[in-house]
Amino acid sequence: MKISEAKAKELAAQALKARENSYCPYSDFAVGAALLCADGSVYTGCNIETAAFNGCCAERTAIFTAAAQGKREFTAIAVAGAGRGSEPDFFCTPCGVCRQVMREFCRPDFDIILTDGKDIKAVTLDGLLPMAFGPDSLE
Ligand code: THU
């Protein structure tokens, strides 16, 4: 993990807090994410669902929010997920689509901080998406 343990715990707490804004009437599964940009700013996101089942995960909401503000360099993201109204009790991991979006903007050693609400577990983007197809594959 490139970021400090203290920073990772702070990000995890922000991801847990971001779950509160989740709009998940279809899955009843609330997810929060907190994205640390290279400039030190943090953007949070939650999952937002639609009746047509084409909503957006918490991680992409955070990344797209930051990207829409011109941010392009990211250091770490924390993720927390659990049934709506329940506290997390497992380490929720990013879905495949979110991993690919991370691959677009982040280096292989991008820190992904998972939290079960109690502890944190740090993994890297390369660990979750090995041999990835990315921007460099098109060069
Ligand atoms: N979800 C996320 O937001 N992030 C994850 O890491 C896993 C899944 C959302 C998508 C959907 O709104 C709900 O959780 C159930 O899959």
Side-chain angles (χ1 to χ4, degrees), residues 34-108:
L35 175 71
L36 175 64
C37 303
D39 64 5
S41 57
V42 174
Y43 287 79
T44 59
C46 58
N47 57 329
I48 301 167
E49 300 179 347
T50 78
F53 282 74
N54 56 8
C56 191
C57 288
E59 297 90 324
R60 270 175 291 147
T61 302
I63 293 168
F64 291 159
T65 300
Q69 300 306 311
K71 306 296 164 134
R72 293 290 185 271
E73 297 254 336
F74 307 120
T75 307
I77 193 167
V79 186
R84 180 164 54 159
S86 307
E87 295 307 316
D89 60 357
F90 79 111
F91 293 100
C92 178
T93 51
C95 80
V97 175
C98 289
R99 294 177 197 198
Q100 189 66 44
V101 169
M102 290 173 196
R103 179 66 183 80
E104 189 62 30
F105 294 106
C106 311
R107 282 182 282 274

Coordinates of all heavy atoms in Angstrom, one line a residue, residues 34-108:
A34 N -14.7 6.3 -1.7 CA -14.0 7.5 -1.5 C -12.7 7.5 -2.3 O -11.9 6.6 -2.1 CB -13.7 7.7 0.0
L35 N -12.6 8.4 -3.3 CA -11.4 8.4 -4.2 C -10.4 9.5 -3.8 O -10.8 10.7 -3.7 CB -12.0 8.7 -5.6 CG -11.0 8.8 -6.7 CD1 -10.3 7.5 -7.1 CD2 -11.7 9.4 -8.0
L36 N -9.2 9.1 -3.6 CA -8.1 10.0 -3.3 C -7.4 10.4 -4.6 O -6.9 9.6 -5.3 CB -7.1 9.4 -2.3 CG -5.9 10.2 -1.9 CD1 -6.3 11.5 -1.2 CD2 -4.9 9.4 -1.1
C37 N -7.4 11.7 -4.9 CA -6.7 12.2 -6.1 C -5.3 12.5 -5.7 O -4.9 12.7 -4.6 CB -7.4 13.5 -6.6 SG -9.2 13.3 -7.0
A38 N -4.4 12.6 -6.8 CA -3.0 12.8 -6.6 C -2.8 14.2 -5.9 O -1.8 14.4 -5.2 CB -2.3 12.8 -7.9
D39 N -3.7 15.1 -6.1 CA -3.6 16.5 -5.5 C -4.1 16.5 -4.1 O -4.1 17.6 -3.4 CB -4.3 17.5 -6.4 CG -5.8 17.3 -6.4 OD1 -6.3 16.4 -5.7 OD2 -6.4 18.1 -7.1
G40 N -4.5 15.4 -3.5 CA -4.9 15.3 -2.1 C -6.4 15.4 -1.9 O -6.9 15.2 -0.8
S41 N -7.1 15.9 -3.0 CA -8.6 16.0 -2.9 C -9.2 14.6 -2.8 O -8.7 13.6 -3.3 CB -9.1 16.9 -4.0 OG -8.8 16.3 -5.2
V42 N -10.4 14.6 -2.2 CA -11.2 13.3 -2.1 C -12.6 13.5 -2.7 O -13.2 14.5 -2.4 CB -11.3 12.9 -0.6 CG1 -12.2 11.6 -0.5 CG2 -9.9 12.5 -0.1
Y43 N -13.0 12.6 -3.6 CA -14.3 12.6 -4.1 C -15.0 11.4 -3.7 O -14.5 10.3 -3.8 CB -14.3 12.7 -5.7 CG -13.8 14.1 -6.2 CD1 -12.5 14.4 -6.2 CD2 -14.8 15.0 -6.6 CE1 -12.1 15.7 -6.6 CE2 -14.4 16.2 -7.1 CZ -13.0 16.6 -7.1 OH -12.7 17.8 -7.5
T44 N -16.2 11.5 -3.2 CA -17.0 10.3 -2.8 C -18.1 10.0 -3.8 O -18.5 10.9 -4.6 CB -17.6 10.6 -1.4 OG1 -18.5 11.7 -1.4 CG2 -16.6 10.8 -0.3
G45 N -18.6 8.8 -3.7 CA -19.6 8.4 -4.6 C -20.4 7.3 -3.9 O -20.0 6.6 -3.0
C46 N -21.6 7.1 -4.5 CA -22.5 6.0 -4.0 C -23.1 5.3 -5.2 O -23.1 5.9 -6.3 CB -23.5 6.5 -3.0 SG -24.6 7.7 -3.7
N47 N -23.7 4.1 -5.0 CA -24.3 3.5 -6.2 C -25.7 4.2 -6.4 O -26.4 4.5 -5.4 CB -24.5 2.0 -6.1 CG -25.1 1.5 -4.8 OD1 -25.1 2.2 -3.8 ND2 -25.8 0.4 -4.9
I48 N -26.1 4.3 -7.6 CA -27.3 5.0 -8.0 C -28.0 4.1 -9.0 O -27.4 3.9 -10.1 CB -27.1 6.4 -8.6 CG1 -26.4 7.3 -7.5 CG2 -28.4 7.0 -9.0 CD1 -25.8 8.6 -8.0
E49 N -29.2 3.5 -8.7 CA -29.8 2.6 -9.6 C -31.0 3.2 -10.3 O -31.4 4.3 -10.0 CB -30.3 1.4 -8.7 CG -29.1 0.7 -8.0 CD -29.6 -0.5 -7.2 OE1 -30.8 -0.6 -6.9 OE2 -28.7 -1.2 -6.8
T50 N -31.4 2.5 -11.4 CA -32.6 3.0 -12.1 C -33.6 1.8 -12.4 O -33.1 0.6 -12.3 CB -32.2 3.6 -13.5 OG1 -32.0 2.5 -14.4 CG2 -31.1 4.5 -13.4
A51 N -34.8 2.1 -12.7 CA -35.8 1.1 -13.0 C -35.4 0.3 -14.2 O -35.8 -0.9 -14.3 CB -37.2 1.7 -13.1
A52 N -34.6 0.8 -15.1 CA -34.2 0.1 -16.3 C -32.9 -0.7 -16.0 O -32.3 -1.2 -17.0 CB -33.9 1.1 -17.4
F53 N -32.5 -0.7 -14.8 CA -31.3 -1.5 -14.4 C -30.0 -1.1 -15.1 O -29.2 -1.9 -15.5 CB -31.5 -3.0 -14.5 CG -32.4 -3.6 -13.4 CD1 -33.7 -3.3 -13.3 CD2 -31.8 -4.3 -12.4 CE1 -34.5 -3.8 -12.3 CE2 -32.6 -4.9 -11.4 CZ -33.9 -4.6 -11.3
N54 N -29.9 0.2 -15.3 CA -28.7 0.7 -15.9 C -28.0 1.8 -15.0 O -27.5 2.8 -15.5 CB -28.9 1.2 -17.3 CG -30.0 2.3 -17.4 OD1 -30.5 2.7 -16.3 ND2 -30.4 2.7 -18.5
G55 N -28.0 1.6 -13.7 CA -27.4 2.5 -12.8 C -25.9 2.5 -12.8 O -25.3 2.0 -13.7
C56 N -25.4 3.1 -11.8 CA -23.9 3.3 -11.7 C -23.4 2.9 -10.3 O -24.0 3.2 -9.3 CB -23.5 4.7 -12.0 SG -21.8 5.0 -12.3
C57 N -22.3 2.2 -10.3 CA -21.7 1.8 -9.1 C -21.1 3.0 -8.3 O -20.8 4.0 -8.9 CB -20.6 0.8 -9.3 SG -21.1 -0.9 -9.8
A58 N -20.9 2.8 -7.0 CA -20.3 3.8 -6.2 C -18.9 4.2 -6.7 O -18.6 5.4 -6.8 CB -20.1 3.3 -4.8
E59 N -18.1 3.3 -7.1 CA -16.7 3.6 -7.5 C -16.7 4.4 -8.8 O -16.0 5.4 -8.9 CB -16.0 2.3 -7.8 CG -15.8 1.4 -6.6 CD -16.9 0.4 -6.5 OE1 -18.1 0.7 -6.8 OE2 -16.6 -0.8 -6.1
R60 N -17.6 4.0 -9.8 CA -17.6 4.9 -11.0 C -18.2 6.2 -10.7 O -17.8 7.2 -11.3 CB -18.4 4.1 -12.1 CG -17.5 3.3 -13.0 CD -18.3 2.5 -14.0 NE -19.0 1.4 -13.3 CZ -20.2 1.0 -13.7 NH1 -20.8 1.5 -14.8 NH2 -20.8 0.0 -13.0
T61 N -19.2 6.3 -9.9 CA -19.8 7.6 -9.5 C -18.7 8.5 -9.0 O -18.6 9.7 -9.4 CB -20.9 7.5 -8.5 OG1 -21.9 6.6 -9.0 CG2 -21.5 8.8 -8.2
A62 N -17.8 8.0 -8.1 CA -16.7 8.8 -7.5 C -15.7 9.2 -8.6 O -15.3 10.4 -8.7 CB -16.0 8.0 -6.4
I63 N -15.3 8.2 -9.4 CA -14.3 8.5 -10.5 C -14.8 9.5 -11.5 O -14.2 10.4 -11.9 CB -13.8 7.2 -11.1 CG1 -13.1 6.3 -10.1 CG2 -12.9 7.5 -12.3 CD1 -12.8 4.9 -10.6
F64 N -16.1 9.3 -12.0 CA -16.6 10.2 -13.0 C -16.9 11.6 -12.4 O -16.7 12.6 -13.1 CB -17.9 9.6 -13.5 CG -17.7 8.3 -14.4 CD1 -18.8 7.4 -14.6 CD2 -16.5 8.0 -15.0 CE1 -18.6 6.3 -15.4 CE2 -16.3 6.9 -15.7 CZ -17.4 6.0 -15.9
T65 N -17.2 11.6 -11.2 CA -17.4 13.0 -10.5 C -16.1 13.7 -10.5 O -16.0 14.9 -10.9 CB -18.0 12.8 -9.1 OG1 -19.2 12.2 -9.2 CG2 -18.2 14.2 -8.4
A66 N -15.0 13.0 -10.1 CA -13.7 13.6 -10.1 C -13.3 14.0 -11.5 O -12.8 15.1 -11.8 CB -12.7 12.7 -9.4
A67 N -13.4 13.0 -12.4 CA -13.0 13.3 -13.8 C -13.7 14.5 -14.4 O -13.2 15.2 -15.2 CB -13.2 12.0 -14.7
A68 N -15.0 14.6 -14.1 CA -15.8 15.7 -14.6 C -15.3 17.1 -14.1 O -15.6 18.1 -14.7 CB -17.3 15.5 -14.3
Q69 N -14.6 17.0 -13.0 CA -14.0 18.3 -12.4 C -12.6 18.4 -12.9 O -11.8 19.3 -12.4 CB -14.1 18.2 -10.9 CG -15.4 18.1 -10.3 CD -16.4 19.2 -10.8 OE1 -16.0 20.4 -10.8 NE2 -17.6 18.8 -11.3
G70 N -12.2 17.6 -13.9 CA -10.9 17.8 -14.5 C -9.8 16.9 -13.9 O -8.6 17.0 -14.3
K71 N -10.1 16.1 -12.8 CA -9.1 15.3 -12.2 C -8.7 14.1 -13.1 O -9.6 13.5 -13.7 CB -9.6 14.8 -10.8 CG -10.1 15.9 -9.9 CD -9.0 16.8 -9.5 CE -9.5 18.1 -8.9 NZ -8.9 18.6 -7.7
R72 N -7.5 13.8 -13.2 CA -7.0 12.7 -14.0 C -6.1 11.7 -13.3 O -5.8 10.7 -13.8 CB -6.4 13.2 -15.3 CG -7.3 14.0 -16.2 CD -8.3 13.0 -16.9 NE -9.1 13.7 -17.9 CZ -10.3 14.3 -17.6 NH1 -10.8 14.3 -16.3 NH2 -11.0 14.9 -18.5
E73 N -5.5 12.2 -12.2 CA -4.5 11.4 -11.5 C -5.1 10.9 -10.1 O -5.4 11.8 -9.3 CB -3.3 12.2 -11.2 CG -2.6 12.7 -12.5 CD -1.3 12.0 -12.8 OE1 -0.7 11.4 -11.8 OE2 -0.9 11.9 -13.9
F74 N -5.1 9.6 -9.9 CA -5.7 9.1 -8.7 C -4.8 8.2 -8.0 O -4.0 7.4 -8.6 CB -7.0 8.4 -9.1 CG -8.0 9.2 -9.9 CD1 -8.4 8.8 -11.2 CD2 -8.4 10.4 -9.4 CE1 -9.2 9.6 -11.9 CE2 -9.3 11.2 -10.1 CZ -9.7 10.8 -11.4
T75 N -4.8 8.2 -6.7 CA -3.9 7.4 -5.8 C -4.5 6.2 -5.2 O -3.9 5.1 -5.1 CB -3.3 8.4 -4.7 OG1 -2.8 9.5 -5.3 CG2 -2.3 7.7 -3.9
A76 N -5.8 6.4 -4.8 CA -6.4 5.2 -4.0 C -7.9 5.4 -4.0 O -8.4 6.5 -4.2 CB -5.9 5.2 -2.6
I77 N -8.6 4.3 -3.8 CA -10.0 4.4 -3.6 C -10.4 3.4 -2.5 O -9.8 2.3 -2.4 CB -10.8 4.0 -4.9 CG1 -12.3 4.4 -4.8 CG2 -10.7 2.6 -5.3 CD1 -13.0 4.4 -6.2
A78 N -11.4 3.8 -1.7 CA -11.9 2.9 -0.6 C -13.3 2.6 -1.0 O -14.1 3.4 -1.6 CB -11.8 3.6 0.7
V79 N -13.7 1.4 -0.7 CA -15.0 0.8 -1.0 C -15.7 0.1 0.2 O -15.0 -0.6 0.9 CB -14.9 -0.2 -2.2 CG1 -16.3 -0.6 -2.6 CG2 -14.1 0.3 -3.3
A80 N -17.0 0.4 0.4 CA -17.7 -0.3 1.5 C -19.1 -0.6 0.9 O -19.8 0.3 0.4 CB -17.8 0.6 2.7
G81 N -19.5 -1.8 1.1 CA -20.8 -2.2 0.6 C -21.5 -3.2 1.5 O -20.9 -4.1 2.2
A82 N -22.8 -3.1 1.6 CA -23.6 -4.0 2.4 C -25.1 -3.8 2.2 O -25.5 -2.7 1.5 CB -23.4 -3.8 3.9
G83 N -26.0 -4.7 2.6 CA -27.4 -4.5 2.5 C -27.8 -3.1 3.1 O -27.3 -2.7 4.1
R84 N -28.7 -2.5 2.4 CA -29.2 -1.2 2.9 C -29.7 -1.3 4.3 O -30.5 -2.2 4.6 CB -30.3 -0.7 1.9 CG -30.9 0.7 2.4 CD -31.7 1.3 1.3 NE -32.8 0.4 0.7 CZ -33.8 0.9 0.0 NH1 -33.9 2.2 -0.2 NH2 -34.7 0.1 -0.4
G85 N -29.3 -0.4 5.2 CA -29.8 -0.5 6.5 C -28.9 -1.4 7.4 O -29.1 -1.4 8.6
S86 N -28.0 -2.1 6.8 CA -27.1 -3.0 7.6 C -25.7 -2.4 7.5 O -25.3 -1.7 6.6 CB -27.0 -4.4 7.0 OG -28.3 -4.9 6.9
E87 N -24.9 -2.8 8.5 CA -23.5 -2.4 8.5 C -22.7 -3.5 7.7 O -23.1 -4.7 7.8 CB -23.0 -2.4 10.0 CG -23.6 -1.3 10.8 CD -23.5 0.1 10.2 OE1 -22.4 0.5 9.6 OE2 -24.5 0.8 10.2
P88 N -21.7 -3.1 7.0 CA -20.9 -4.1 6.3 C -20.4 -5.1 7.2 O -20.0 -4.9 8.3 CB -19.8 -3.2 5.7 CG -20.3 -1.8 5.6 CD -21.2 -1.7 6.8
D89 N -20.3 -6.4 6.7 CA -19.7 -7.5 7.4 C -18.9 -8.3 6.5 O -18.5 -9.5 6.8 CB -20.8 -8.3 8.1 CG -21.8 -8.9 7.2 OD1 -21.6 -8.7 5.9 OD2 -22.6 -9.7 7.6
F90 N -18.5 -7.8 5.3 CA -17.6 -8.5 4.5 C -16.9 -7.4 3.6 O -17.3 -6.3 3.6 CB -18.3 -9.5 3.6 CG -19.0 -8.9 2.4 CD1 -18.5 -9.2 1.1 CD2 -20.1 -8.1 2.5 CE1 -19.2 -8.6 0.0 CE2 -20.8 -7.6 1.4 CZ -20.3 -7.8 0.1
F91 N -15.8 -7.9 2.9 CA -15.0 -6.9 2.1 C -15.6 -6.9 0.7 O -15.3 -7.8 -0.1 CB -13.6 -7.4 2.1 CG -12.9 -7.3 3.4 CD1 -12.7 -8.4 4.2 CD2 -12.4 -6.0 3.9 CE1 -12.1 -8.3 5.5 CE2 -11.8 -5.9 5.1 CZ -11.6 -7.0 5.9
C92 N -16.4 -5.9 0.4 CA -17.0 -5.7 -0.9 C -16.0 -5.3 -1.9 O -15.2 -4.3 -1.7 CB -18.1 -4.7 -0.8 SG -19.0 -4.3 -2.3
T93 N -15.9 -6.0 -3.0 CA -14.9 -5.6 -4.0 C -15.5 -5.0 -5.3 O -16.7 -5.2 -5.6 CB -14.1 -6.9 -4.5 OG1 -15.1 -7.9 -4.9 CG2 -13.3 -7.5 -3.4
P94 N -14.8 -4.2 -6.0 CA -15.3 -3.5 -7.2 C -15.7 -4.5 -8.3 O -15.0 -5.5 -8.5 CB -14.1 -2.6 -7.7 CG -13.2 -2.5 -6.5 CD -13.4 -3.7 -5.7
C95 N -16.7 -4.2 -9.0 CA -17.2 -5.1 -10.1 C -16.2 -4.9 -11.3 O -15.3 -4.0 -11.3 CB -18.6 -4.7 -10.5 SG -18.7 -3.3 -11.6
G96 N -16.4 -5.8 -12.3 CA -15.5 -5.8 -13.4 C -15.5 -4.5 -14.2 O -14.4 -4.0 -14.7
V97 N -16.7 -3.9 -14.3 CA -16.8 -2.6 -15.1 C -16.0 -1.5 -14.4 O -15.2 -0.8 -15.0 CB -18.2 -2.2 -15.3 CG1 -18.3 -0.9 -16.0 CG2 -19.0 -3.3 -16.1
C98 N -16.1 -1.5 -13.1 CA -15.4 -0.4 -12.3 C -13.9 -0.7 -12.4 O -13.1 0.3 -12.5 CB -15.9 -0.4 -10.9 SG -17.5 0.2 -10.7
R99 N -13.5 -1.9 -12.4 CA -12.0 -2.2 -12.5 C -11.5 -1.7 -13.8 O -10.4 -1.2 -13.9 CB -11.8 -3.7 -12.4 CG -12.1 -4.3 -11.0 CD -12.0 -5.8 -10.9 NE -12.7 -6.3 -9.7 CZ -12.5 -7.4 -9.1 NH1 -11.6 -8.3 -9.5 NH2 -13.2 -7.7 -8.0
Q100 N -12.3 -1.9 -14.9 CA -11.8 -1.4 -16.2 C -11.8 0.1 -16.2 O -10.9 0.7 -16.8 CB -12.8 -2.0 -17.3 CG -12.3 -1.7 -18.7 CD -11.0 -2.5 -19.0 OE1 -10.9 -3.7 -18.7 NE2 -10.0 -1.9 -19.6
V101 N -12.7 0.8 -15.6 CA -12.7 2.2 -15.6 C -11.5 2.7 -14.8 O -10.8 3.7 -15.2 CB -14.0 2.8 -15.0 CG1 -13.9 4.3 -14.7 CG2 -15.2 2.6 -15.9
M102 N -11.1 2.0 -13.7 CA -9.9 2.3 -12.9 C -8.7 2.2 -13.8 O -7.8 3.0 -13.8 CB -9.8 1.4 -11.7 CG -10.8 1.7 -10.6 SD -10.7 0.5 -9.3 CE -12.3 0.7 -8.5
R103 N -8.7 1.1 -14.6 CA -7.6 0.9 -15.5 C -7.4 2.0 -16.5 O -6.3 2.2 -17.0 CB -7.8 -0.4 -16.3 CG -6.7 -0.9 -17.2 CD -5.4 -1.2 -16.5 NE -4.4 -1.5 -17.5 CZ -3.7 -0.6 -18.2 NH1 -3.9 0.7 -18.0 NH2 -2.8 -1.0 -19.0
E104 N -8.4 2.7 -16.8 CA -8.3 3.8 -17.8 C -7.5 5.0 -17.2 O -6.7 5.6 -17.9 CB -9.7 4.3 -18.1 CG -9.8 5.4 -19.2 CD -9.3 4.8 -20.5 OE1 -9.5 3.6 -20.8 OE2 -8.8 5.6 -21.3
F105 N -7.7 5.2 -15.9 CA -7.0 6.4 -15.3 C -5.9 6.1 -14.3 O -5.1 7.0 -14.0 CB -8.1 7.2 -14.5 CG -9.2 7.8 -15.4 CD1 -10.4 7.3 -15.4 CD2 -8.9 8.9 -16.2 CE1 -11.4 7.8 -16.2 CE2 -9.9 9.5 -17.0 CZ -11.2 8.9 -17.0
C106 N -5.8 4.9 -13.8 CA -4.9 4.6 -12.7 C -3.8 3.6 -13.1 O -4.0 2.8 -14.0 CB -5.7 4.0 -11.5 SG -7.2 4.9 -11.1
R107 N -2.7 3.8 -12.4 CA -1.6 2.9 -12.6 C -1.8 1.5 -12.0 O -2.7 1.4 -11.1 CB -0.3 3.5 -12.0 CG 0.2 4.6 -13.0 CD 1.5 5.2 -12.4 NE 1.3 6.1 -11.3 CZ 1.0 7.4 -11.5 NH1 1.0 7.9 -12.7 NH2 0.8 8.2 -10.5
P108 N -1.0 0.5 -12.4 CA -1.2 -0.9 -11.8 C -1.1 -0.9 -10.3 O -1.8 -1.8 -9.7 CB -0.1 -1.7 -12.4 CG 0.2 -0.9 -13.7 CD 0.0 0.5 -13.4

